[in-house]
Amino acid sequence: MKVALAQLDIVWENKQENKKQCSIMIEQAKSQYVDMILFPEMTLTGFSMNTEKLGEVIENSETITFFKQKAQQYNIAICFGMIVKNGEKSENHCMVISKEGEVIADYAKIHPFSYGTESKFYSGGENVTYYTVNDITFSPLICYDLRFPEVFQICSEKSYVITVIANWPTPRRCHWISLLKARAIENQCYILGINRCGSGDGLEYSGDSMIIDPYGKVVAMAKQSNQMLVIGDIDADIVTQYRKEFPLKQDRKSQLYSQMYQGKK
């Protein structure tokens, strides 16, 4: 299966301009026979706390409608991020649209970034999500979730690919790269890290979007911090074979870990 990571230079809080750039990248991906394209966190807005203005209701979302139309037009699955209104606080979502234009995944970010004030405007989700494209099972996660390995272990019980859409800033670039590789090795699965590039609201973003295989090897990575597509292949058989050869998960003691968390050892 061929995937494209769309390392997008998001225009700050400008949905219409970002739609234009997404359209170009979707067309480029399809011309290279890509099965699925993945965009960064908060794809059409950037990492904004302006939830009242930019947040949407799923039932009549212009963002979802836009990506549904593009998925059908180009016969390609699309993963993207958006702000969803939900009561007093909004939620930071990752959505996936099938090539037929149907919503097949809707994940609410479990860990809002309190250091960056996200938790003041966004509430955290409480569930992981699974979906299938080309008979391969995926799980979507978002940015700060990368620092919490427990949720990756849960996702990889079923998933062969875990995606992390992000707006990860340049000052913590080494953490992004190191943690993506660690999550792939720990979970014996593909990790797709899709980060934005450019600048927004005074922050700089290095990009560094990459595809990492279950062994921790970088299959494909952005060679610069410009807007670009990172294209590579993922193969579920590699995951299956490696997990069979090196059955790491059978040695995990999840029940014991849970007891230790609760102080009941």
Side-chain angles (χ1 to χ4, degrees):
M1 176 181 171
K2 183 173 286 189
V3 297
L5 315 185
Q7 184 166 285
L8 180 65
D9 186 351
I10 301 173
V11 182
W12 182 248
E13 296 185 345
N14 189 330
K15 291 183 181 179
Q16 296 310 310
E17 187 59 35
N18 289 317
K19 284 180 183 178
K20 293 178 185 178
Q21 298 304 314
C22 289
S23 296
I24 292 170
M25 299 181 88
I26 292 168
E27 184 175 4
Q28 290 174 341
K30 189 59 183 180
S31 71
Q32 298 187 58
Y33 306 102
V34 164
D35 299 295
M36 180 179 183
I37 183 170
L38 302 97
F39 288 95
E41 177 184 20
M42 297 191 191
T43 306
L44 300 184
T45 63
F47 189 64
S48 174
M49 302 301 111
N50 192 359
T51 57
E52 187 61 34
K53 176 183 176 182
L54 301 173
E56 302 177 42
V57 177
I58 287 180
E59 288 72 21
N60 60 2
S61 165
E62 65 167 294
T63 298
I64 294 175
T65 298
F66 167 75
F67 283 113
K68 279 185 173 183
Q69 292 172 345
K70 292 299 176 183
Q72 290 175 310
Q73 179 182 353
Y74 290 97
N75 195 39
I76 189 172
I78 303 175
C79 171
F80 60 93
M82 62 178 290
I83 301 168
V84 173
K85 289 183 176 179
N86 185 18
E88 293 184 7
K89 289 186 178 183
S90 292
E91 292 177 338
N92 184 346
H93 280 232
C94 178
M95 311 286 295
V96 183
I97 308 293
S98 71
K99 64 182 181 180
E100 291 82 17
E102 300 296 327
V103 175
I104 56 174
D106 178 10
Y107 166 73
K109 185 179 184 181
I110 292 175
H111 305 96
F113 187 42
S114 58
Y115 180 78
T117 73
E118 183 182 7
S119 59
K120 294 181 180 179
F121 299 92
Y122 295 85
S123 57
E126 296 182 346
N127 296 289
V128 296
T129 302
Y130 305 94
Y131 66 94
T132 301
V133 177
N134 288 24
D135 297 322
I136 299 177
T137 303
F138 289 72
S139 283
L141 295 174
I142 302 175
C143 204
Y144 192 47
D145 287 334
L146 182 59
R147 293 186 181 273
F148 301 90
E150 297 90 342
V151 72
F152 283 78
Q153 288 291 338
I154 294 168
C155 289
S156 63
E157 289 290 342
K158 296 181 181 179
S159 291
Y160 286 45
V161 184
I162 301 175
T163 65
V164 184
I165 64 172
N167 279 202
W168 196 284
T170 301
R172 292 182 287 278
R173 175 177 182 257
C174 65
H175 297 187
W176 168 255
I177 295 170
S178 298
L179 291 172
L180 287 173
K181 291 180 179 179
R183 298 295 91 87
I185 294 167
E186 293 165 350
N187 294 278
Q188 298 179 307
C189 70
Y190 283 93
I191 298 289
L192 311 184
I194 308 95
N195 193 24
R196 69 157 296 177
C197 60
S199 61
D201 197 30
L203 293 174
E204 296 292 328
Y205 299 90
S206 63
D208 296 308
S209 299
M210 67 185 77
I211 300 168
I212 305 171
D213 74 10
Y215 296 89
K217 177 184 176 182
V218 177
V219 175
M221 179 177 178
K223 294 183 173 61
Q224 64 259 10
S225 59
N226 299 331
Q227 181 165 291
M228 64 181 296
L229 292 177
V230 177
I231 297 176
D233 292 313
I234 56 176
D235 185 347
D237 290 341
I238 291 176
V239 178
T240 300
Q241 185 61 31
Y242 184 39
R243 289 177 174 180
K244 182 179 179 181
E245 292 173 353
F246 183 16
L248 173 65
K249 277 188 177 289
Q250 74 177 20
D251 291 328
R252 286 184 54 79
K253 299 182 179 181
S254 299
Q255 186 173 359
L256 174 61
Y257 306 153
S258 178
Q259 293 172 353
M260 293 171 72
Y261 271 121
Q262 298 171 32
K264 297 179 180 180
K265 183 178 177 182

